[in-house]
Amino acid sequence: PIVIGWSEGSGSMDPGNIEIATALPLSTYNVDNPPLTLGLGQRPRLGSNLVLDTSRIPTGTGAGVIALGFTQLTPGLDLGIIGAPGCRMAAVYDATVTVGITGSTHQLVLGIPNLPALNGGLMFGQSVTVSTGLNALGVITSNGVRILLGSI
């Protein structure tokens, strides 16, 4: 018997047509495990809400952290040395919010005070999830986001 294609399901993605003769060695690891992604749901304006949308959360993830800080780490601290290859710490975490996760997306909404002193304030954010089985540490990180508070 010859296996033509196989997927364990539960979020596996279609990598498209592949010409095996020219694609060897072949790996679909990055296709089946899209990166954890953090984005802003709306512009962070004074007097409104900061909406942090985490997506592409792996199946089976039960908890996570939204981390916020005032110091960006460029290009980011490589977490491969502690068992999370391909993951980076994008900022110094000055504050964290622990969240329970029940699906492939999560939204955290935080109020932004309408204080003129905050106009032009800069923060950095990142999502971190406890996702066992993807690496030795059992934790993955999202991209970092730059959050510029404004009045417009």
Side-chain angles (χ1 to χ4, degrees), residues 64-78:
V65 169
I66 307 296
L68 298 169
F70 298 103
T71 306
Q72 181 180 22
L73 298 176
T74 304
L77 180 64
D78 184 1

Side-chain angles (χ1 to χ4, degrees), residues 50-137:
L50 174 60
V51 180
L52 297 161
D53 292 320
T54 303
S55 60
R56 299 182 170 173
I57 300 171
T59 302
T61 299
V65 169
I66 307 296
L68 298 169
F70 298 103
T71 306
Q72 181 180 22
L73 298 176
T74 304
L77 180 64
D78 184 1
L79 301 179
I81 190 117
I82 60 171
C87 294
R88 295 190 171 275
M89 183 174 167
V92 174
Y93 301 155
D94 295 311
T96 58
V97 178
T98 303
V99 296
I101 297 173
T102 58
S104 63
T105 63
H106 184 272
Q107 187 175 75
L108 178 67
V109 179
L110 300 172
I112 303 172
N114 192 12
L115 299 173
L118 295 178
N119 195 27
L122 188 59
M123 296 188 317
F124 302 93
Q126 186 171 30
S127 290
V128 180
T129 63
V130 179
S131 302
T132 58
L134 296 178
N135 58 42
L137 186 61

Side-chain angles (χ1 to χ4, degrees), residues 4-70:
I4 302 299
W6 180 83
S7 169
E8 64 181 72
S10 299
S12 293
M13 300 173 70
D14 181 359
N17 295 333
I18 299 172
E19 178 57 50
I20 294 177
T22 59
L24 295 175
L26 176 66
S27 172
T28 60
Y29 175 78
N30 289 331
V31 173
D32 284 344
N33 295 301
L36 187 65
T37 304
L38 178 64
L40 298 178
Q42 62 187 35
R43 189 179 320 161
R45 293 180 23 208
L46 301 181
S48 69
N49 290 322
L50 174 60
V51 180
L52 297 161
D53 292 320
T54 303
S55 60
R56 299 182 170 173
I57 300 171
T59 302
T61 299
V65 169
I66 307 296
L68 298 169
F70 298 103

